[in-house]
Amino acid sequence: MNITSLALLALASLPLPSTALAADWYPSIYGANDEIGAANLLTADVVKQAVSLVKTGKTYPLAVPVDKNLPAFRHRSFRLYNVQVGQQAGKSLGPNRFTFNDELVNAWTGVGTQLNGIGHIGIDNVYYNGNKAADFVSVDGVRRLGVEKVPPLVTRGVVLDMTAYYGKAIVPGGTEFSVADIQAVLKQQHLTLRKGDVVLFNTGWLELIGKDNAQFLEVEPGIGMDAAKWLADQGIVAFGGDTWASEVYPNPYGADEFPVNQYMLAKRGIYNLELIDSRALVRDKAWEFLFVLGQPLYVGSTQVNINPVAIR
């Protein structure tokens, strides 16, 4: 073998640059300039079909209350301050003695129940639809893929009760939900997934908050990559549940960080809904419902606190 052949062999063994790896997942099927991903599936017909699910008019808030004690991912925190401006030492304003409370919040947008937009997770600094961080990310926020671009999510929601499936009040951390597991629960609950659905998993994980915050954040049950691919192929618009990452953690197959989120958000444009409180839905066996979310339009943010509503 000559020197040229050896050099070519050595080059062939080197890892490909990220641009070469990325070529198979962008541009998006929704167009090279698309910024909303799977939200494109929410047509007027999808919304009308979802509205037809409402039979009783009962509403369910799906968020958890947020305060400084709520456990959050790694570096994140939440702190609210009440400031009575101009009212120190018992002062009031005007002859009518006007007083008011005002709140200042110093917090990460990814604390509590949240929408993770498709600009939140990337692969080697490349995000949904091939957007490179150098081109759209700044300290003042993102210029593309921000949550302000996301239309209202009004569609059919389904909740899959994994606690009943596994026969445990809290599904053990590290439990991976396979395609077969999901299909079995769908069959038990007499459900079939539809294009545009929001799919939520109830695992009992919220029961750990305030009781074992360390365990709550160290591990979690959730879907693996095979299940993620299968769900994406069903045409869902969002996935999530009552855990903080919506995928099995830690990754049981190696050191990759949050590969399911990478696949769903960056490659497929599917949103992640974290810390969804589905306990009341499960108690009422409300397996399908109208899901309604109009998130705060924080310009330039890739995630935001939410309180979606289920209506049955």
Side-chain angles (χ1 to χ4, degrees), residues 4 26 39 45 74 94 113 166 171 200 216 218 249 277 294-295:
T4 302
Y26 63 80
D45 285 341
R74 296 179 184 173
T113 304
Y166 289 103
V171 179
L200 307 172
F216 179 81
E218 286 172 2
Y249 187 84
D277 190 349
Q295 77 284 354

Side-chain angles (χ1 to χ4, degrees), residues 48-310:
K48 287 190 291 184
Q49 289 175 13
V51 170
S52 70
L53 295 171
V54 177
K55 306 300 182 187
T56 68
K58 185 172 183 178
T59 60
Y60 299 80
L62 300 180
V64 297
V66 180
D67 64 17
K68 63 182 180 180
N69 299 312
L70 184 68
F73 175 70
R74 296 179 184 173
H75 54 274
R76 297 177 189 164
S77 61
F78 178 95
R79 190 67 172 88
L80 181 147
Y81 303 89
N82 182 278
V83 183
Q84 294 179 305
V85 180
Q87 300 161 75
Q88 63 274 18
K91 292 181 180 179
S92 59
L93 306 175
N96 57 332
R97 304 185 68 180
F98 176 78
T99 58
F100 67 99
N101 292 306
D102 230 356
E103 286 73 42
L104 172 69
V105 173
N106 184 1
W108 296 82
T109 57
V111 176
T113 304
Q114 62 198 263
L115 167 71
N116 281 352
I118 56 179
H120 181 53
I121 302 291
I123 302 172
D124 195 14
N125 290 297
V126 181
Y127 294 77
Y128 171 74
N129 215 358
N131 285 283
K132 297 173 176 60
D135 297 333
F136 80 105
V137 179
S138 75
V139 70
D140 293 318
V142 295
R143 293 183 292 273
R144 294 181 61 81
L145 308 179
V147 295
E148 78 277 8
K149 308 287 181 63
V150 183
L153 302 185
V154 181
T155 189
R156 176 182 182 242
V158 299
V159 59
L160 304 182
D161 186 15
M162 309 312 290
T163 62
Y165 177 69
Y166 289 103
K168 298 180 181 295
I170 302 176
V171 179
T175 302
E176 178 183 351
F177 307 155
S178 68
V179 175
D181 294 329
I182 295 172
Q183 291 175 334
V185 177
L186 287 168
K187 184 176 181 180
Q188 287 177 356
Q189 297 179 190
H190 306 291
L191 294 173
T192 301
L193 294 185
R194 303 175 190 167
K195 185 177 292 187
D197 279 353
V198 166
V199 179
L200 307 172
F201 293 88
N202 182 77
T203 72
W205 210 242
L206 292 181
E207 298 296 334
L208 294 174
I209 293 179
K211 300 172 186 175
D212 194 340
N213 288 349
Q215 183 186 358
F216 179 81
L217 292 172
E218 286 172 2
V219 295
E220 68 174 35
I223 62 174
M225 186 60 75
D226 288 344
K229 292 178 178 178
W230 183 82
L231 286 169
D233 288 344
Q234 308 313 301
I236 67 170
V237 70
F239 73 109
D242 55 4
T243 59
W244 51 268
S246 305
E247 68 175 279
V248 60
Y249 187 84
N251 172 22
Y253 302 108
D256 285 354
E257 287 275 0
F258 306 105
V260 166
N261 273 266
Q262 275 191 322
Y263 175 78
M264 296 293 256
L265 277 68
K267 290 190 175 185
R268 300 298 294 265
I270 295 171
Y271 297 84
N272 183 3
L273 302 166
E274 297 175 345
L275 266 65
I276 297 289
D277 190 349
S278 53
R279 290 174 288 193
L281 289 170
V282 169
R283 284 195 296 270
D284 286 356
K285 299 186 185 303
W287 307 133
E288 62 176 347
F289 44 85
L290 173 64
F291 178 92
V292 180
L293 171 62
Q295 77 284 354
L297 302 183
Y298 291 171
V299 175
S301 183
T302 65
Q303 56 185 343
V304 70
N305 301 110
I306 56 173
N307 181 24
V309 176

